[in-house]
Amino acid sequence: MSDNKPEDVDITREWRATHEQKSSATRLRLFAAIAWIIAIGGEIAGVVLLFQHKFDHGNLPLLIGILAGIAIFAIAGSLMWKAANKYDPARESDRARFFFQNQLGAIVTVIAFLPLLVLIFMDKDMDPKNKQIAGGVGAVLAIIATLVGVSWHPPSVEQYTQDMNKCAAEIKAGQPTKDCSPEVAAQAQDIARDSKTVADATKDPSHPAGQDVVYWIAPENGAKKAATPHVFHICESVSPLRGKTVNHGSVTEAYAENATRITKQIPMEQKQCGFGAAADSNAAANAAG
């Protein structure tokens, strides 16, 4: 990150879930779906038994057991779904998807409880005392399970991007990494590592600490971000960039345009860019002195 660029306007590549994070999210969502299917299956069983008048004059423990089972599986599904969203969150800019993805647990819980509870309270054949007990217990369980299903502070791609940027800045500055949650730490470490590699490769008498300026092929057709990952280089005169439209900026700016791969030819590019020659000249001058 350039020294003259304040942290609050720094930009970086957009956070993206890794293959491992996506796999974990997919697995958790599958288990959550199974739990919700079981919960709704319990509801269907309860509705069928109600229509068969199984609870008119008894079987209250069975009805309460069905309601408790629905709550248990609804809550289990919601917890797994929310854990999956931490690995692979939605974009806050996509408001509809962001809402439904994060509040799906509460929505499914309402679906799993509401029809059965309505039928219990509307059942004219059920013993009034049993109706009151079952309806009250069901309502309490439904409220608890729904509140558990609500995502009060849902994660987002935008939040993770901001956290990743802060984490990278902390790593590069050698500060305590208070923003480096497990979800963003790996990508932030990539930015910090590449920035250090570039700084080490671009040291010369004028820049003894190196530079945070790299060069990459500009995104196609004037886009803000390249469709495929590009390589960034330590100067514009390297052979892979000849005849190309080239952008330049900090490592974080390169990442923002999807130039996320550092060149593997650092020694060769140092020679082509004159960094190696400048270092050798400086060493010779020091020896002569």
Side-chain angles (χ1 to χ4, degrees):
M1 183 181 348
S2 300
D3 292 338
N4 62 351
K5 186 172 289 187
E7 183 178 317
D8 59 349
V9 297
D10 184 29
I11 57 174
T12 184
R13 66 170 174 172
E14 182 179 78
W15 179 91
R16 294 179 182 177
T18 64
H19 176 73
E20 292 77 13
Q21 288 170 324
K22 282 187 173 292
S23 297
S24 297
T26 300
R27 184 168 56 252
L28 284 166
R29 284 173 180 148
L30 176 61
F31 291 153
I34 293 172
W36 286 336
I37 289 171
I38 295 173
I40 293 175
E43 176 192 33
I44 293 172
V47 169
V48 171
L49 291 173
L50 274 173
F51 281 122
Q52 293 177 349
H53 301 283
K54 297 295 184 180
F55 305 116
D56 287 357
H57 304 290
N59 293 321
L60 180 61
L62 174 59
L63 181 54
I64 292 177
I66 290 173
L67 292 167
I70 294 172
I72 290 170
F73 283 101
I75 289 172
S78 294
L79 293 176
M80 288 186 286
W81 189 265
K82 288 199 285 188
N85 287 340
K86 289 188 67 177
Y87 288 116
D88 186 21
R91 299 175 187 274
E92 195 170 357
S93 56
D94 187 347
R95 294 183 180 277
R97 180 178 177 180
F98 184 74
F99 173 80
F100 284 106
Q101 179 170 319
N102 287 296
Q103 309 308 333
L104 187 59
I107 294 170
V108 171
T109 299
V110 171
I111 293 172
F113 268 104
L114 189 59
L116 181 56
L117 286 176
V118 169
L119 289 175
I120 289 173
F121 284 116
M122 293 180 62
D123 194 329
K124 297 179 180 179
D125 298 319
M126 187 184 296
D127 179 82
K129 183 178 180 181
N130 288 351
K131 180 192 296 190
Q132 185 178 12
I133 295 173
V137 170
V140 170
L141 290 173
I143 291 171
I144 293 173
T146 301
L147 290 176
V148 171
V150 173
S151 186
W152 301 100
H153 302 287
S156 67
V157 171
E158 290 86 348
Q159 176 202 325
Y160 279 5
T161 298
Q162 184 179 12
D163 291 347
M164 180 179 69
N165 185 44
K166 291 180 180 177
C167 177
E170 290 164 358
I171 293 172
K172 289 159 68 175
Q175 299 172 347
T177 52
K178 57 184 178 65
D179 294 291
C180 296
S181 66
E183 292 79 21
V184 306
Q187 293 95 323
Q189 289 168 356
D190 289 344
I191 297 172
R193 182 198 61 235
D194 288 349
S195 297
K196 184 178 185 305
T197 300
V198 169
D200 290 342
T202 56
K203 291 179 179 178
D204 59 24
S206 301
H207 305 90
Q211 303 177 63
D212 186 15
V213 181
V214 292
Y215 300 80
W216 63 93
I217 297 174
E220 300 80 3
N221 301 319
K224 293 183 178 180
K225 186 173 185 178
T228 57
H230 286 342
V231 175
F232 58 83
H233 306 268
I234 60 175
C235 78
E236 190 174 6
S237 60
V238 296
S239 50
L241 296 180
R242 290 173 187 165
K244 305 289 196 312
T245 302
V246 176
N247 286 350
H248 71 279
S250 68
V251 170
T252 51
E253 289 173 320
Y255 271 63
E257 294 189 8
N258 206 17
T260 58
R261 294 182 292 151
I262 190 170
T263 177
K264 295 182 179 179
Q265 305 293 333
I266 292 289
M268 182 188 74
E269 292 198 1
Q270 282 181 301
K271 294 179 180 178
Q272 292 182 347
C273 300
F275 291 118
D280 292 342
S281 176
N282 186 43
N286 290 338

